[in-house]
Amino acid sequence: STDWNTFNGKQAALVSGTNIKTINGNNILGNGNLSLFTPRVSTVTSLNYTLQTADNDGNTYLRVDTSASATITIPSTQTTPITIRRVNFQSVTLQAASGVTLNGSLTFDVVGSTKSIIPIGTNQFDIVG
């Protein structure tokens, strides 16, 4: 009875969704691995680059390292956010493909600067950065 009273004075029973948090909607109880955001770094060396299917995974970080000024085209097939970084002294300009609207500054002015493309509607993107 003394042990029972001691145990009853401890933490309340754990109940998913009540006093156990979730991560990105995933329950953290149980075995196995809960994978959090793991960015995929993709380096662009082409002066004219259109975002590819592989860049549309919501985890891509696009690194632009070109020998001259580069243009990155945002196609209508892009549906997830993407971050693009200028890593050298050459300018980088974002360009909208046909039917796509980009809201914000399109040119990178500073070495090491980043811009994120955030979808806000069908074929509409805000540019942050």
Side-chain angles (χ1 to χ4, degrees):
S1 140
T2 302
D3 287 340
W4 184 256
N5 289 334
T6 300
F7 290 125
N8 282 338
K10 302 293 181 188
Q11 178 178 338
L14 298 176
V15 179
S16 182
T18 300
N19 58 359
I20 300 174
K21 296 196 181 285
T22 60
I23 299 174
N24 294 331
N26 294 305
N27 188 317
I28 61 173
L29 295 178
N31 60 3
N33 181 43
L34 179 61
S35 179
L36 300 178
F37 178 77
T38 305
R40 180 180 65 84
V41 178
S42 181
T43 301
V44 171
T45 56
S46 172
L47 300 181
N48 293 298
Y49 183 81
T50 298
L51 293 181
Q52 307 293 306
T53 301
D55 301 324
N56 196 23
D57 64 359
N59 292 324
T60 297
Y61 177 83
L62 199 65
R63 189 174 181 274
V64 182
D65 190 3
T66 55
S67 59
S69 296
T71 300
I72 307 296
T73 301
I74 313 302
S76 61
T77 54
Q78 187 67 27
T79 57
T80 59
I82 187 168
T83 297
I84 302 169
R85 182 171 191 239
R86 172 184 165 182
V87 298
N88 60 24
F89 291 97
Q90 307 303 329
S91 66
V92 175
T93 302
L94 301 175
Q95 172 179 286
S98 178
V100 173
T101 301
L102 300 177
N103 304 312
S105 175
L106 301 180
T107 303
F108 292 61
D109 299 324
V110 180
V111 173
S113 61
T114 61
K115 292 195 180 282
S116 293
I117 312 305
I118 311 296
I120 59 167
T122 303
N123 295 329
Q124 294 185 349
F125 301 86
D126 278 350
I127 301 171
V128 180

